[in-house]
Amino acid sequence: MNMGEQVLLSGDPPIELVLKASARARRFSLRVSRLDGRVTLTLPRGASRRQALAFAEEKAEWIRRHIAEHPGEMRPLPGQAISFRGASLPIVAAPGRAVRLVDDRIEVPARDPERTPARLAAFLKHHARLDLVEASRRHAARLGLAHGRITLRDTRSRWGSCSAQGDLMYSWRLIMAPPGVLDYVAAHEVAHLAEMNHSPAFWVQVARLYPDYDAPRRWLRTNAQNLHRYRFKD
C-alpha cells in the first residue's frame, strides 16, 4: 500500500479519500477538512489497506454527512456572487477592461470570462492592501510603535503574523470578511510589536487596540471555510 494513496469508495455519492500512515497513531481516524472537504483516513502502524477500507466503509454515512455540510470550492464567475467586506455581491459581466465595485455589485470585463477569477483575485488583493495598510498604521500609531514591511499571502493556516523585525504578513482573503474582522486581525498582529507572544500582557495590548476582540475571533472560527472556498487559480 502506498501511503498518501487516493482511493474511491463506491456508493451514492462515491467518496474520495486519502490513506495516510502514522507511526504515532494508535487507531484508525477520519478527518474531513473544513477548508476543502478532503477526506483523510489515518492508519496505525501495522494496519493493512484491506482493514483501512473496511473501516471507511463502516463510517461511509458519517463521511457523507460531513461532506454535505461542507460548502465546497467555488470558482467565481459572472452570474455568481463573491464576498467583499462582509457582503455577498453579485458578479456581473460588463463593458470595460477592469474589475469595478459599482453600487451593490462587482462588474468584471465581459471579454475573456475565463480570466474572471484571476481578475477578481487582483481586485481583492488591491483592496486588501489598502485596508490592511491603513489599519496597521492606525493601530501602530496608537501604540507609539512602527511596523515594518507589509506583505500579503494566500495562507490557510493563519490570518496574519508579525516577525521579530516588525514585518507584518496578512492573508488577502481578509478583505472578504466584515471590516471589523480585518481590523481585529490587524490589531492582533500590531500588538505583537509590543509583546511577541500570546501572554496575558499581549491580550492587554489587543484589548487596548480592539476592545471587543472576542466577536471577530468567533467569526473567523465559524466562517474560515467560507473565505477559503473560492478558487482563483486553475
Side-chain angles (χ1 to χ4, degrees), residues 3-230:
M3 290 305 109
E5 175 188 2
Q6 291 190 340
V7 299
L8 186 69
L9 294 182
S10 60
D12 185 20
I15 300 171
E16 293 184 6
L17 58 89
V18 176
L19 303 182
K20 179 182 178 182
S22 172
R24 293 182 296 178
R26 296 187 176 183
R27 57 184 175 82
F28 291 110
S29 64
L30 279 163
R31 179 177 179 272
V32 181
S33 171
R34 296 183 65 187
L35 296 179
D36 57 15
R38 180 186 294 268
V39 183
T40 303
L41 173 55
T42 301
L43 287 66
R45 178 179 300 188
S48 68
R49 185 178 190 275
R50 179 182 59 78
Q51 292 172 317
L53 293 178
F55 178 83
E57 291 285 0
E58 290 178 3
K59 301 294 185 181
E61 291 309 309
W62 179 90
I63 297 172
R64 289 189 178 94
R65 284 199 307 272
H66 280 70
I67 291 176
E69 294 171 358
H70 186 273
E73 287 189 338
M74 190 188 81
R75 190 165 169 79
L77 294 167
Q80 299 173 345
I82 192 167
S83 182
F84 181 70
R85 291 181 176 141
S88 180
L89 303 181
I91 304 168
V92 179
R97 297 183 178 182
V99 178
R100 300 184 302 163
L101 177 62
V102 180
D103 298 327
D104 58 352
R105 65 185 183 276
I106 294 181
E107 292 187 351
V108 298
R111 185 176 181 179
D112 301 325
E114 69 279 2
R115 295 180 57 194
T116 295
R119 288 167 170 157
L120 284 169
F123 170 85
L124 294 173
K125 291 174 186 178
H126 170 74
H127 287 279
R129 177 167 291 279
L130 292 177
D131 287 8
L132 286 163
V133 166
E134 185 280 327
S136 299
R137 287 175 176 170
R138 172 166 39 85
H139 291 309
R142 287 198 62 192
L143 293 182
L145 299 172
H147 62 74
R149 185 166 54 104
I150 293 177
T151 58
L152 302 184
R153 297 177 185 169
D154 191 9
T155 53
R156 286 180 175 263
S157 60
R158 58 177 63 184
W159 295 108
S161 65
C162 177
S163 73
Q165 293 72 39
D167 294 332
L168 304 175
M169 184 283 296
Y170 298 106
S171 167
W172 56 261
R173 290 182 186 252
L174 285 166
I175 194 62
M176 295 190 280
V181 173
L182 178 148
D183 198 42
Y184 156 69
V185 174
H188 182 114
E189 301 309 333
V190 166
H192 281 305
L193 297 174
E195 296 286 342
M196 283 298 294
N197 51 57
H198 286 97
S199 66
F202 164 78
W203 291 106
V204 168
Q205 297 294 340
V206 175
R208 177 181 171 188
L209 299 175
Y210 200 102
D212 186 22
Y213 62 79
D214 282 339
R217 291 185 76 204
R218 288 195 303 270
W219 192 95
L220 282 172
R221 284 196 296 267
T222 303
N223 296 280
Q225 68 272 26
N226 292 327
L227 301 188
H228 285 294
R229 67 180 297 215
Y230 297 100

